[in-house]
Amino acid sequence: MAGQHAEEDVARLSGADARAEAARLRAAVAQANEAYHRRDTPEISDAAYDALKRRLLAIEQRFPALALPDSPTRAVGAAPAEGFAKVTHAKPMLSLENAFDAEEVAEFEARIRKFLGLDAAAPLAFTAEPKIDGLSLSLRYEGGRLVQAATRGDGAVGENVTENVRHICDIPQHLTRAPEVLEVRGEVYMSHADFSALNARAAAAGDKTFANPRNAAAGSLRQLDPRITAARPLRFFAYSWGALSEPLGATQSDAIARLTALGFATNPQTTRCDGLEAMLAVYRALEAQRATLGYDIDGVVYKVDDLALQRRLGFRSTTPRWAIAHKFPAELAWTRLERIEIQVGRTGALSPVARLAPVTVGGVVVSNATLHNEDYIAGRDATGALIREGRDLREGDWVQVYRAGDVIPKVADVDVSRRNFDSQPYVFPHVCPECGSDAVREPGDAVRRCSGGLACPAQAVEKLKHFVSRAAFDIEGLGAKQIEAFFREGWLREPADIFTLREKHGEQLALREGWGEKSAQNLFSAIEARRRVPLARLIFALGIRHVGESAAATLATHYGTWEAFLAAVRGADDTDGGAWHELLSIDGMGEVTARSLVTSLNHSSDRAAVENLMAEIEAEPATMPTADSAISGLTIVFTGTLERMTRAEAKARAEALGAKVAGSVSARTDILVAGPGAGSKARKAEALGVKVIDEAAWLTLAGAP
Ligand code: IVH
């Protein structure tokens, strides 16, 4: 339904048709709300959503009897998923790095050898097991009793679903001869057979059916009423663990065997592999078996088998170095590209989006896909090389779409033989469709960007949405829909305005349709609760280009406090200075990210917005991973040859213990670890009076991994 025509034919509807139509629209809006607010996966565009609501409102205005008190036209967004208590995981629940082909798996294996200093001939075993397409769960047992079950949430804090999982038959309630404290982690899923039966029952009862087993499992587990969960056939595979009072074994395989012996369902396809060839053979075998396994898997997970090596390899901010998910190729489908629309993101990027005739791809209905940028539409990549043999994409074309895991669908190819004779190449706009500013493409950048900065309403609103998103400020009751509404009112322009909302617009909000004293108070309490936020969330919330969750976490741990971070970024404006080099020396910090940070916080319209924000809130200092270690907070430089661990391992170990690792010696260096062959750095350290130690002394400081 085209947006501007949404209300037009309402005047011609009969009373009976209007009633049916209103019911259909209410259901569609409720479904869109649900997808947007509860599952964070919008199913329709904002424009389509607005059109649905406008049409419903038009019907309600013409037939007031149809304007039910709980109509979505009276509510702002969906009620937040209240009711589950929050659980802070004793150990964070991490995700996995992905590999999409054998070459990336080979690189993973080679990276591990390099990190550990193992040559190609040294034995290195892995386990390979199916990657279950469900949702992860952490189960805590104390004295053999199940005391708590929590969803992953954002990895640090999840939801308490203990009562719900008591009804999952694969999850034991009591264990015998278990460690005193045992956190078992794994995947909740629904089998194909149970999923079909559940959907058949739902359809017969006129209830909503689920798009795929994963959604069904998630929807069933996150039921506030445990009796509903009990009636849903959920299963569980254990594959990992969190806090433990004693080890489960010396290897991944032993630990899994122990979990099996304790009574957990573990995946029977788990295989120990002696090397790359064996791992890839398991992948091929599982890919062939995929359709007959009886449950959804979306790839194979490889893990270093030896747990002592896992400990040495450790973690990056959100993923372990010792594991990777080798994903199955995406599923494909053909459909019509109806329109190309341009969305303006929070960094001003003009992103083309394909509006598609809805089509099912791998069990999910897809009606939007990303088109990346103007070159992609034209059939070129950033270097000018041809993609799709140079075939461009046009409105009206037949296109092939695919989904890879959870990522947004993409357009892979186009069938030019089905193209209309009068179709025209797509002309990418050179002005921002939202604010009319020039849209500029810098040399070397694949993306055209609106030059309007925070004066562009689309950029401002997207920045605000990002600011309140789940991994950022996560303010309960303040989601994308509310941000849009408040922005339209002129109440919010930049993040600081959120914290003055009560003072400036509190009374107006309480009077607003769909709100009231109580809901306004709830929102203000939720906002107040965020006047102090963890530093990593704050840095991520700023929405600086290239600074995602993981870079934000790394920066927070490195600098510790907002003041130190800001001083460093301000100082790094001078690219000859120490602050710039320190920024670049941080593990995982590339030059592009560093430049983006410096530009955004020193020179752009963001600078003032950040200052305004910091007048309202404060950042909780980041705790170093092991704050009480002997080297926590110290700056260490390594030089010369290390014989017992590689340079990468030494750096990761020092950082895990809360130290900073720098590339060059300065007056701020606390310790220089000098192996054989140390040269100028050792001399400089001596001249500056910096403490110099050898590898043996370093190993004593760093302790066993
Ligand atoms: S291991 C520290 N093993 O995949 C490693 N994860 O994309 C923790 N998953 O969040 C994960 N099957 O929910 C592991 N055999 C398996 C898995 C698996 C499915 C999920 C898990 C994780 C996600 C990462």
Side-chain angles (χ1 to χ4, degrees):
M1 181 194 333
Q4 58 271 45
H5 306 308
E7 309 94 316
E8 267 173 27
D9 69 348
V10 166
R12 292 195 291 277
L13 286 177
S14 71
D17 285 347
R19 180 179 301 278
E21 177 74 330
R24 186 189 71 77
L25 289 165
R26 267 195 296 274
V29 173
Q31 184 182 335
N33 277 343
E34 166 81 17
Y36 197 106
H37 293 278
R38 300 252 173 85
R39 284 184 270 116
D40 287 338
T41 46
E43 288 173 347
I44 60 174
S45 68
D46 290 353
Y49 177 84
D50 287 343
L52 287 175
K53 268 180 102 167
R54 275 204 309 277
R55 185 168 166 80
L56 180 56
L57 193 62
I59 294 180
E60 290 176 347
Q61 281 167 349
R62 178 149 180 256
F63 300 96
L66 296 178
L68 305 178
D70 62 350
S71 168
T73 54
R74 295 172 182 237
V76 178
E82 281 172 336
F84 289 111
K86 300 270 189 259
V87 173
T88 302
H89 298 299
K91 294 218 166 163
M93 289 183 78
L94 300 169
S95 56
L96 293 170
E97 185 193 350
N98 288 327
F100 294 97
D101 55 33
E103 205 175 309
E104 287 178 6
V105 179
E107 283 164 13
F108 160 75
E109 203 254 5
R111 219 165 33 237
I112 289 181
R113 285 189 182 275
K114 183 155 179 247
F115 188 99
L116 296 171
L118 297 177
D119 62 37
L124 177 62
F126 288 83
T127 55
E129 62 195 281
K131 183 170 187 305
I132 315 297
D133 196 4
L135 59 152
S136 45
L137 186 71
S138 186
L139 303 169
R140 186 177 173 93
Y141 293 84
E142 287 175 9
R145 283 182 42 247
L146 174 64
V147 293
Q148 182 173 282
T151 61
R152 178 171 184 275
D154 63 5
V157 179
E159 285 175 329
N160 188 332
V161 289
T162 315
E163 290 318 308
N164 298 23
V165 312
R166 294 210 187 273
H167 306 285
I168 299 179
C169 59
D170 287 339
I171 295 182
Q173 302 294 308
H174 299 279
L175 305 173
T176 37
R177 284 192 286 279
E180 177 57 29
V181 174
L182 167 63
E183 280 185 10
V184 175
R185 291 178 175 176
E187 204 84 352
V188 174
Y189 67 99
M190 197 179 280
S191 75
H192 290 158
D194 287 338
F195 167 70
S196 310
L198 176 68
N199 260 359
R201 281 203 306 276
D207 291 342
K208 183 177 154 241
T209 56
F210 290 102
N212 55 43
R214 188 187 178 284
N215 286 1
S220 303
L221 183 65
R222 296 183 74 259
Q223 282 290 338
L224 287 174
D225 182 350
R227 284 169 306 183
I228 302 185
T229 311
R232 304 271 175 87
L234 293 172
R235 312 292 307 258
F236 178 78
F237 275 130
Y239 52 64
S240 176
W241 53 90
L244 292 176
S245 53
E246 60 188 76
L248 291 173
T251 63
Q252 181 78 28
S253 330
D254 290 350
I256 296 299
R258 178 83 200 282
L259 290 177
T260 317
L262 282 167
F264 290 94
T266 55
N267 197 289
Q269 311 282 341
T270 306
T271 314
R272 189 175 176 283
C273 302
D274 281 331
L276 193 59
E277 276 320 309
M279 289 150 74
L280 297 175
V282 172
Y283 176 86
R284 288 189 293 270
L286 282 171
E287 193 179 11
Q289 271 174 282
R290 190 178 179 186
T292 52
L293 281 177
Y295 48 87
D296 278 351
I297 64 173
D298 57 349
V300 177
V301 182
Y302 308 120
K303 299 172 185 169
V304 169
D305 195 36
D306 183 336
L307 298 183
L309 295 184
Q310 283 192 8
R311 276 190 294 277
R312 281 178 59 192
L313 285 155
F315 304 91
R316 303 179 205 89
S317 58
T318 57
T319 54
R321 286 195 190 83
W322 42 263
I324 202 162
H326 186 180
K327 302 294 280 283
F328 290 136
E331 304 194 44
L332 299 163
W334 285 92
T335 188
R336 187 186 279 280
L337 196 181
E338 293 181 333
R339 265 180 344 284
I340 297 177
E341 286 178 9
I342 303 290
Q343 288 181 345
V344 182
R346 63 169 209 273
T347 60
L350 266 52
S351 308
V353 178
R355 302 292 179 211
L356 306 165
V359 61
T360 303
V361 190
V364 172
V365 180
V366 166
S367 48
N368 302 311
T370 172
L371 294 172
H372 306 287
N373 54 50
E374 58 188 291
D375 287 343
Y376 192 81
I377 297 177
R380 299 184 295 266
D381 71 9
T383 67
L386 300 185
I387 47 176
R388 300 181 301 270
E389 294 163 353
R391 290 186 288 278
D392 68 331
L393 301 175
R394 303 181 182 187
E395 292 184 327
D397 272 346
W398 279 89
V399 292
Q400 190 184 43
V401 289
Y402 67 101
R403 286 172 59 236
D406 272 340
V407 293
I408 313 162
K410 299 192 171 97
V411 170
D413 208 352
V414 51
D415 185 349
V416 279
S417 71
R418 299 180 73 177
R419 179 174 277 173
N420 275 346
F421 69 93
D422 59 350
S423 86
Q424 295 296 320
Y426 179 74
V427 181
F428 203 89
H430 285 207
V431 292
C432 170
E434 300 286 342
C435 73
S437 304
D438 284 343
V440 190
R441 188 169 167 187
E442 302 287 348
D445 194 351
V447 171
R448 194 168 281 283
R449 286 173 205 280
C450 162
S451 56
L454 286 180
C456 170
Q459 284 192 53
V461 108
E462 290 307 319
K463 277 219 175 228
L464 284 164
K465 283 190 202 166
H466 172 80
F467 186 85
V468 299
S469 64
R470 190 155 158 186
F473 270 60
D474 190 21
I475 299 176
E476 213 162 312
L478 193 58
K481 287 276 166 263
Q482 291 83 352
I483 291 282
E484 278 173 9
F486 298 170
F487 187 85
R488 270 199 300 271
E489 293 292 343
W491 297 350
L492 297 183
R493 280 285 170 263
E494 57 179 64
D497 298 337
I498 293 171
F499 295 94
T500 55
L501 189 65
R502 178 207 290 260
E503 183 189 321
K504 295 191 180 150
H505 305 286
E507 286 172 15
Q508 288 158 284
L509 178 67
L511 295 173
R512 200 181 155 84
E513 217 175 86
W515 290 78
E517 255 336 296
K518 181 152 189 325
S519 47
Q521 279 319 323
N522 287 345
L523 175 62
F524 295 136
S525 314
I527 292 174
E528 286 310 308
R530 291 289 187 272
R531 280 204 195 260
R532 198 175 147 80
V533 284
L535 179 58
R537 281 184 180 262
L538 169 63
I539 298 176
F540 173 66
L542 299 179
I544 297 166
R545 229 169 112 196
H546 305 297
V547 182
E549 247 184 290
S550 142
T554 311
L555 285 161
T557 344
H558 186 87
Y559 290 108
T561 64
W562 168 257
E563 291 69 26
F565 165 71
L566 193 66
V569 176
R570 296 265 195 264
D573 215 5
D574 167 13
T575 49
D576 285 332
W580 171 251
H581 290 290
E582 181 178 345
L583 194 56
L584 284 186
S585 75
I586 301 175
D587 198 9
M589 179 72 38
E591 195 156 334
V592 175
T593 312
R595 267 190 208 293
S596 169
L597 261 176
V598 171
T599 316
S600 156
L601 292 181
N602 294 344
H603 303 292
S604 74
S605 52
D606 285 355
R607 180 177 171 139
V610 168
E611 280 165 9
N612 296 340
L613 173 67
M614 295 314 293
E616 296 295 333
I617 66 157
E618 60 181 309
E620 227 164 78
T623 39
M624 299 294 178
T626 323
D628 55 355
S629 86
I631 57 170
S632 165
L634 302 186
T635 299
I636 301 186
V637 175
F638 292 94
T639 187
T641 321
L642 296 182
E643 279 153 357
R644 302 271 300 279
M645 53 172 82
T646 62
R647 192 64 79 73
E649 184 177 357
K651 185 163 186 265
R653 184 93 197 102
E655 285 172 352
L657 291 168
K660 292 179 199 172
V661 177
S664 56
V665 175
S666 74
R668 282 184 294 170
T669 310
D670 294 299
I671 299 176
L672 177 75
V673 180
S680 65
K681 284 185 189 165
R683 286 193 295 278
K684 186 163 178 196
E686 218 160 296
L688 289 168
V690 169
K691 180 173 174 187
V692 181
I693 62 173
D694 63 8
E695 185 175 9
W698 154 248
L699 287 172
T700 314
L701 269 184

